[in-house]
């Protein structure tokens, strides 16, 4: 099926669903409307509006469409209509988006699946709630005596095979971040937490230094059925937990069921949506069994192009029996693991010491006996510790020091697959009293006022790429190509994205932003700034760090050009993560490093029930 043809169908469905919504999205229960209710609403609406929906779909999928760039009041109205952002209340009904993502999970045709993912990104970007800034890369400092550690494109760092001057070492001293939010691999959602988890736990598969996915607990590659849905994996024999007890296939089955169970509270539980039996996740019974003590078998709803990446992801790591039913497991040192290290001591907000696990399946090749972590988000103090020799590895550098350090042999820049962005809480009081279309116009306007190239040049300073879409450049499309590219089946609204950056468009963006805000009910004085009668003030939430705070200040300055005022609130890492998750913010700094190389990973996080849905879509 051609991409535009499918987009016509999906936009029609989305619009019908939004027009048929009976209540405010903010009044919808956390689980959203049931599929049966949604189908009934769409069917009822479609009978009356089929002609209009077809016309709407045709207009909104034109290859040369500029509906993301209205240039006058009529253009704004067309844009609002074409993207389907209608309904009662300030936030869009999100049922149709959830349905599109669930359909992608079961779609077997690669071209159709790719088309549906483009459609999903169109919807997210149309809300304006996701404001991409730049595509990630990562910088760090590492003493030149060290080598052999590595990171995958998701930002997970592996230290177990590091060497000092080419030889095994007693201790490596590291800073990744401040106090971790979770050490439970199934409940973690942060990059630093994933690194800690991947050095202390391991699953059936892992990453090698060439970023290949290789067997860990597994004994070889999976056996996959002809239809691509059933996997049989044999495990190594004589595997053990760090306390010396037996680890076998039953531990994998039990751990996966724990992670999929809503009662556990795993924000990534939706990754099991590809499994037969997961359903809508409210009462999952995933189809995974232990054929014997050393053999796992599971069945998917459709072939999954990124299944091997999931099997190497922390959500799929086994956890010990003590983790089941406990809210405090892994909150202190001494818990059982199955990876290269165990946590020996933890002085909260100060330091952590991991020691080598003698029962790890590859313990003979682990070349560092101890990992000592400095817990801090003060990048000035971190740099001082690095320069004094107190730490060997610093995963952050003060913005003001990058220019002085970047030419050194110990300064490293590595590619990441992800996007640094700003997220708006669609249910924030900032948008109270506005329609869905007006709130989208407000957010779109603010996004157009940000000078991303200035942020890259003065704060990032490591040649990041301006992000004009949410899904990052270089991500594969799951169908043999690159997702962020124009072709005969899909053309982005503006070159290879959804907008031109202020650094390129200049005054045209500023003028468009004013018109969008006027559409949302704001008035401007003769000098082009907001009238005192219609002020716009927001609070921007970020965590500690000179780069994050610097970006917030740059955005603050950009918005002030037309009279928008912004306060900046800086929180410690744990508080920040929890406030974002709970929707305690107007606008927040965000970032997403892909867990695997497929666009669905960037899109499924916005499902209503996703624990990573910080923008609060559908809630």
């Amino acid at each position: 099926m051609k991409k535009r043809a499918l987009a016509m169908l999906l936009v029609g469905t989305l619009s019908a669903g939004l027009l048929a919504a009976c209540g405010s999205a903010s009044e919808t229960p956390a689980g959203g409307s049931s599929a049966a209710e949604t189908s009934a609403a769409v069917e009822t609406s479609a009978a009356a509006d089929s002609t209009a929906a077809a016309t709407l779909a045709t207009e909104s999928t034109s290859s040369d469409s500029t509906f993301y760039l209205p240039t006058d009041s009529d253009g704004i109205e067309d844009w609002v209509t074409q993207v389907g952002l209608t309904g009662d209340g300030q936030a869009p009904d999100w049922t149709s988006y959830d349905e599109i993502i669930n359909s992608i999970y079961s779609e077997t045709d690669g071209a159709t699946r790719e088309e549906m993912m483009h459609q999903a990104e169109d919807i997210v970007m149309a809300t304006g709630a996701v404001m991409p800034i730049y595509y990630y890369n990562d910088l760090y400092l590492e003493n030149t005596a060290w080598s052999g550690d590595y990171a995958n494109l998701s930002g997970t760092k592996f230290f177990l095979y590091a060497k000092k001057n080419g030889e095994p070492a007693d201790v490596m001293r590291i800073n990744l971040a401040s106090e971790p939010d979770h050490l439970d691999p199934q409940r973690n959602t942060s990059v630093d937490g994933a690194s800690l988890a991947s050095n202390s736990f391991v699953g059936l598969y892992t990453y090698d230094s060439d970023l290949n996915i290789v067997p860990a607990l597994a004994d070889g590659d999976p056996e996959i059925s002809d239809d691509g849905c059933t996997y049989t994996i044999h495990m190594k024999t004589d595997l053990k937990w760090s306390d010396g007890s037996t680890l076998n296939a039953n531990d994998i089955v039990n751990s996966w069921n724990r992670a999929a169970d809503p009662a556990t509270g795993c924000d990534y539980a939706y990754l099991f949506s590809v499994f037969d039996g997961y359903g809508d996740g409210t009462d999952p019974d995933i189809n995974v069994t232990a054929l014997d003590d050393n053999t796992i078998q599971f069945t998917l709803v459709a072939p999954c192009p990124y299944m091997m990446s999931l099997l190497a992801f922390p959500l799929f790591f086994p956890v010990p029996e003590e983790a089941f039913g406990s809210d405090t497991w892994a909150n202190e040192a001494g818990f059982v693991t199955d990876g290269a290290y165990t946590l020996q001591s933890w002085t909260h907000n100060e330091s952590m010491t991991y020691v080598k696990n003698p029962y790890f399946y590859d313990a003979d090749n682990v070349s560092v006996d101890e990992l000592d972590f400095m817990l801090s988000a003060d990048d000035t103090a971190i740099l001082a510790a690095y320069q004094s020799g107190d730490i060997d590895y610093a995963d952050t550098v003060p913005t003001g020091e990058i220019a002085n350090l970047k030419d050194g042999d110990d300064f490293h820049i590595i590619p990441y697959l992800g996007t640094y962005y700003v997220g708006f809480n669609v249910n924030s009081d900032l948008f109270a009293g506005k329609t869905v279309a007006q709130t989208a116009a407000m957010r779109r306007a603010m996004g157009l006022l940000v000078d991303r190239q200035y942020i890259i040049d003065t704060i990032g300073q490591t040649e990041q790429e301006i992000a004009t879409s949410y899904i990052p450049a270089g991500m594969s499309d799951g169908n043999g190509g690159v997702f962020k590219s124009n072709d005969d089946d899909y053309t982005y609204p503006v070159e290879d994205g959804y907008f031109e950056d202020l650094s390129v468009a200049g005054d045209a963006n500023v003028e468009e932003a004013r018109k969008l805000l006027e559409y949302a009910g704001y008035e401007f004085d003769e000098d082009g700034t907001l009238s005192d009668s219609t002020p716009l003030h927001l609070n921007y939430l970020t965590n500690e760090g000179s780069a994050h705070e610097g970006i917030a200040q740059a955005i603050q300055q950009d918005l002030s050009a037309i009279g928008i005022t912004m306060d900046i609130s800086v929180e410690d890492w744990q508080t920040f993560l929890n406030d974002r998750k709970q929707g305690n913010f107007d606008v927040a700094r965000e970032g997403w490093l892909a867990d695997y190389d497929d666009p669905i990973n960037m899109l499924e996080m916005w499902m209503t029930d996703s624990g990573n849905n910080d923008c609060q879509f559908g809630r």
Side-chain angles (χ1 to χ4, degrees):
M1 182 183 293
K2 288 288 187 180
K3 293 180 181 177
R4 291 195 194 108
L6 181 60
M8 290 169 61
L9 171 64
L10 293 175
V11 171
T13 301
L14 172 68
S15 302
L18 292 172
L19 290 167
C22 298
S24 167
S26 62
E27 297 171 353
T28 304
S33 303
S34 70
E37 291 170 336
T38 303
S39 297
V42 172
E43 184 176 347
T44 301
S45 178
D49 298 322
S50 59
T51 301
T55 302
L56 168 63
T58 302
E59 292 173 351
S60 65
T61 54
S62 171
S63 62
D64 59 354
S65 170
T66 57
F67 67 84
Y68 286 92
L69 288 175
T71 56
D72 53 36
S73 58
D74 291 337
I76 292 170
E77 293 291 346
D78 290 343
W79 168 67
V80 168
T81 301
Q82 288 174 14
V83 296
L85 296 178
T86 58
D88 296 332
Q90 68 187 52
D93 182 275
W94 212 238
T95 307
S96 295
Y97 184 86
D98 290 343
E99 290 180 339
I100 290 172
I101 301 301
N102 280 318
S103 296
I104 292 170
Y105 289 138
S106 58
E107 180 56 57
T108 58
D109 180 77
T112 303
R113 182 177 180 274
E114 181 187 350
E115 165 67 14
M116 296 167 78
M117 291 190 291
H118 274 296
Q119 178 63 20
E121 186 183 27
D122 284 350
I123 295 167
V124 169
M125 292 298 295
T127 69
V130 175
M131 182 201 296
I133 302 296
Y134 58 72
Y135 301 127
Y136 268 118
N137 57 22
D138 184 41
L139 61 87
Y140 65 93
L141 292 168
E142 183 174 32
N143 186 298
T144 55
W146 287 91
S147 62
D149 50 280
Y150 55 94
N152 64 20
L153 291 175
S154 299
T156 301
K157 276 84 174 176
F158 298 84
F159 298 104
L160 62 166
Y161 301 123
K163 293 184 177 180
K164 186 175 184 180
N165 296 316
E167 299 293 334
D170 293 332
V171 182
M172 185 176 190
R173 297 160 300 176
I174 302 160
N175 170 266
L176 294 179
S178 56
E179 182 79 355
D181 191 41
H182 284 295
L183 297 184
D184 180 339
Q186 297 184 334
R187 297 181 67 193
N188 170 70
T189 59
S190 66
V191 177
D192 60 299
S195 295
L196 294 171
S198 294
N199 285 278
S200 52
F201 289 89
V202 71
L204 293 169
Y205 295 88
T206 189
Y207 289 88
D208 67 13
S209 58
D210 294 322
L211 306 190
N212 298 311
I213 296 174
V214 296
L217 302 181
D219 186 20
D221 295 334
E223 299 169 4
I224 306 174
S225 61
D226 290 342
D227 65 1
C229 292
T230 299
Y231 284 61
T232 303
I233 299 174
H234 300 284
M235 296 174 63
K236 293 179 171 68
T237 57
D238 299 323
L239 293 169
K240 296 184 184 299
W241 293 101
S242 60
D243 63 357
S245 60
T246 298
L247 189 165
N248 62 32
N250 294 295
D251 293 305
I252 300 289
V253 172
N254 294 336
S255 296
W256 288 6
N257 278 299
R258 172 191 186 255
D261 185 351
T264 306
C266 297
D267 289 341
Y268 273 114
Y270 59 82
L271 294 181
F272 285 99
S273 296
V274 297
F275 277 65
D276 177 51
Y278 183 78
D280 62 3
T282 56
D283 186 23
D285 183 18
I286 58 174
N287 190 343
V288 56
T289 58
L291 299 184
D292 55 47
D293 283 350
N294 292 97
T295 309
I296 295 287
Q297 187 172 87
F298 59 88
T299 301
L300 310 177
V301 294
C304 178
Y306 52 89
M307 191 65 230
M308 293 304 296
S309 296
L310 289 184
L311 294 175
F313 187 67
L315 182 75
F316 290 80
F317 293 176
V319 294
E321 186 176 352
E322 64 194 77
F324 290 77
S326 172
D327 292 330
T328 60
W329 176 72
N331 284 357
E332 298 293 341
F335 54 88
V336 174
T337 70
D338 75 321
Y341 297 96
T342 60
L343 180 57
Q344 182 184 68
S345 64
W346 184 359
T347 302
H348 291 279
N349 297 298
E350 183 177 321
S351 64
M352 307 173 80
T353 298
Y354 284 80
V355 297
K356 187 173 176 179
N357 170 19
Y359 295 106
F360 177 53
Y361 77 92
D362 198 30
D364 289 346
N365 292 314
V366 174
S367 49
V368 184
D369 291 336
E370 179 177 309
L371 303 178
D372 290 353
F373 289 91
M374 170 188 180
L375 302 180
S376 175
D378 183 342
D379 47 21
T380 300
I382 294 165
L383 179 60
Y386 175 80
Q387 292 179 326
S388 68
D390 290 335
I391 59 175
D392 304 303
Y393 186 106
D395 203 27
T396 184
V397 176
T399 298
E401 297 293 335
I402 292 176
N404 298 327
L405 297 169
K406 65 189 303 181
D407 292 331
D409 292 339
D410 59 347
F411 188 95
H412 302 270
I413 301 173
I414 57 175
Y416 270 175
L417 194 61
T419 305
Y420 190 105
Y421 66 100
V422 173
F424 291 83
N425 176 1
V426 296
N427 294 320
S428 167
D429 289 342
L430 175 67
F431 306 113
K434 304 295 184 181
T435 67
V436 168
Q438 287 175 320
T439 64
M442 290 170 63
R443 295 184 291 259
R444 162 78 178 174
M446 287 185 269
L448 291 174
L449 294 170
V450 176
D451 188 337
R452 292 159 179 80
Q453 191 62 55
Y454 175 84
I455 289 173
I456 290 170
D457 292 343
T458 63
I459 302 169
Q461 301 182 65
T462 54
E463 302 178 3
Q464 293 93 342
E465 180 182 348
I466 289 175
T468 58
S469 65
Y470 176 54
I471 294 175
M475 178 167 269
S476 67
D477 59 14
N479 191 38
V482 176
F483 188 80
K484 193 175 188 284
S485 60
N486 293 318
D487 55 34
D488 291 341
D489 292 333
Y490 183 87
T491 302
Y492 280 91
V494 184
E495 296 185 359
D496 64 345
Y498 293 87
F499 58 87
E500 282 189 312
D501 184 54
L502 182 76
S503 60
V504 177
D507 290 343
N509 270 18
V510 177
E511 182 60 25
E512 183 186 343
R514 289 194 186 99
K515 290 177 179 177
L516 286 165
L517 289 172
E518 286 173 345
Y519 170 77
Y522 291 89
E523 299 175 356
F524 288 85
D525 293 333
E526 291 184 0
D527 64 358
T529 61
L530 284 166
S531 168
D532 290 342
S533 62
T534 57
L536 178 53
H537 178 80
L538 55 144
N539 187 276
Y540 184 101
L541 182 67
T542 185
N543 58 302
E544 299 165 313
S546 59
H548 299 313
E549 294 173 52
I551 290 172
Q553 291 162 5
I555 293 172
Q556 181 186 53
Q557 180 175 335
D558 288 338
L559 298 185
S560 71
I562 63 168
I564 300 172
T565 57
M566 185 179 101
D567 291 334
I568 301 171
S569 295
V570 182
E571 295 182 337
D572 68 84
W573 183 231
Q574 283 185 307
T575 303
F576 172 70
L577 289 177
N578 290 322
D579 277 345
R580 282 196 318 189
K581 187 178 301 182
Q582 295 165 13
N584 297 330
F585 68 95
D586 294 330
V587 190
R589 91 91 183 160
E590 298 269 5
W592 192 257
L593 290 172
D595 303 310
Y596 47 87
D597 186 12
D598 191 279
I600 190 63
N601 181 240
M602 308 289 292
L603 299 168
E604 63 191 351
M605 63 183 288
W606 301 124
M607 294 180 72
T608 298
D609 291 336
S610 164
N612 296 313
N613 178 11
D614 290 348
C615 291
Q616 311 298 308
F617 290 122
R619 298 179 177 176

